[in-house]
Amino acid sequence: MYSAITTSLENAILLITINRPDKMNALNKTVLDELNSAIDEVYNNNAIRSAIITGAGAKAFVAGADISEFQGLKHNEGMDLAHKGQYIFKKIEDAPKPIIAAVNGFALGGGCELAMACHFRLASDNARFGQPEVNLGLIPGYGGTQRLTQLIGKGRAIELLITGNMLDAAAALQYGLVNYVVPQDELLNKARSILELVNTRAPLAVGRCIKAANAVFDHSKDGFTEEVNLFGECFSTQDMIEGTNAFLEKRKPNFAGK
């Protein structure tokens, strides 16, 4: 089905692997198109409850964009490329099912932006994060200037953006860019263990938690009002009835996602 990524579904968790290890899993047009299709599958396939994005091999999550595709682009073409990347990464950010990044090596440029678009990140102890676009006479174009600032604060973000320096896994954990750092051979198991727990929770409530948290950074919305509305919507779900009944009856709930 795909040529630049692979997907596999196990225990309702879709594993999406950027599969260009000979190119350090760099993002080219094909990767972006196929990633977009895989994210559509996350949205539309009821058998999928959550997803992991990672990179093939032991060196890189995604070491950046495919710079060869930048040559010869003009102003409007550069804007079109940024719009495309931002559209796909916003789709990841807004997904009603949790999508986490398992960062297994270099996450630079577009790779760092991809990781930051996910709902949260786990890193192997050899992971490195950075936005080195200034070394190319560029800035991040797939949301990196915005999400990096949201995640680690303005001062630290600007320093990384204008120096092009990298963060190692320990610093990324200290800055709050990642939730966990584990040995590389434990990375996917750790990611799966978190999502296996999340998958036992009420799916519609999980999706609404993501939507409410995202509203913090959406200037078109009042986050508190969004929370009120989403909280109220939960009372119209079968899952809320099942969850509260199970609590009162001292049994485990059986959520149907309805």
Side-chain angles (χ1 to χ4, degrees):
M1 182 176 179
Y2 298 118
S3 64
I5 70 171
T6 65
T7 61
S8 61
L9 181 61
E10 182 180 348
N11 295 330
I13 301 169
L14 184 69
L15 177 64
I16 303 169
T17 304
I18 312 301
N19 190 31
R20 302 181 73 213
D22 56 323
K23 301 293 186 182
M24 301 286 278
N25 301 322
L27 297 178
N28 63 3
K29 181 180 184 299
T30 302
V31 172
L32 288 173
D33 289 341
E34 294 185 357
L35 182 60
N36 187 46
S37 296
I39 299 306
D40 284 340
E41 187 177 356
V42 173
Y43 273 73
N44 298 320
N45 186 343
N46 291 332
I48 297 171
R49 295 282 296 275
S50 55
I52 300 167
I53 299 177
T54 194
K59 293 183 178 180
F61 172 72
V62 169
D66 192 330
I67 305 304
S68 65
E69 294 188 342
F70 289 7
Q71 291 184 306
L73 296 184
K74 304 302 182 185
H75 181 164
N76 288 341
E77 294 166 318
M79 290 180 64
D80 289 343
L81 182 61
H83 278 305
K84 179 177 181 177
Q86 287 193 13
Y87 169 80
I88 296 168
F89 289 5
K90 186 70 163 59
K91 187 184 292 187
I92 294 171
E93 184 176 64
D94 288 342
K97 304 171 186 178
I99 301 175
I100 66 176
V103 180
N104 56 309
F106 289 107
L108 304 177
C112 189
E113 291 174 296
L114 172 59
M116 291 191 296
C118 295
H119 296 127
F120 57 92
R121 288 143 294 286
L122 288 69
S124 59
D125 49 17
N126 68 319
R128 298 291 185 273
F129 297 83
Q131 300 287 168
E133 286 87 349
V134 290
N135 294 319
L136 302 172
L138 293 168
I139 71 168
Y142 298 168
T145 61
Q146 306 304 296
R147 292 192 179 96
L148 189 63
T149 303
Q150 291 168 2
L151 289 166
I152 70 172
K154 181 180 177 181
R156 283 173 167 166
I158 289 180
E159 179 184 355
L160 287 174
L161 291 167
I162 66 176
T163 63
N165 287 343
M166 287 190 290
L167 288 180
D168 62 20
L173 182 64
Q174 179 189 351
Y175 283 13
L177 187 58
V178 302
N179 290 28
Y180 301 94
V181 175
V182 298
Q184 189 171 60
D185 60 0
E186 298 176 16
L187 181 63
L188 286 181
N189 285 339
K190 179 65 174 178
R192 289 185 182 280
S193 70
I194 294 170
L195 291 180
E196 285 168 0
L197 174 61
V198 173
N199 287 353
T200 68
R201 308 316 192 202
L204 297 180
V206 167
R208 286 180 170 91
C209 283
I210 293 169
K211 189 173 183 180
N214 283 348
V216 174
F217 304 106
D218 187 339
H219 297 300
S220 70
K221 295 177 181 177
D222 179 309
F224 288 97
T225 300
E226 185 78 353
E227 182 181 280
V228 166
N229 292 335
L230 294 168
F231 180 77
E233 288 177 8
C234 291
F235 284 81
S236 300
T237 67
Q238 294 179 26
D239 280 353
M240 181 269 178
I241 297 170
E242 168 63 13
T244 52
N245 286 344
F247 177 82
L248 296 172
E249 295 166 8
K250 296 182 172 57
R251 62 175 174 81
K252 290 185 177 181
N254 181 24
F255 295 118
K258 298 180 180 179

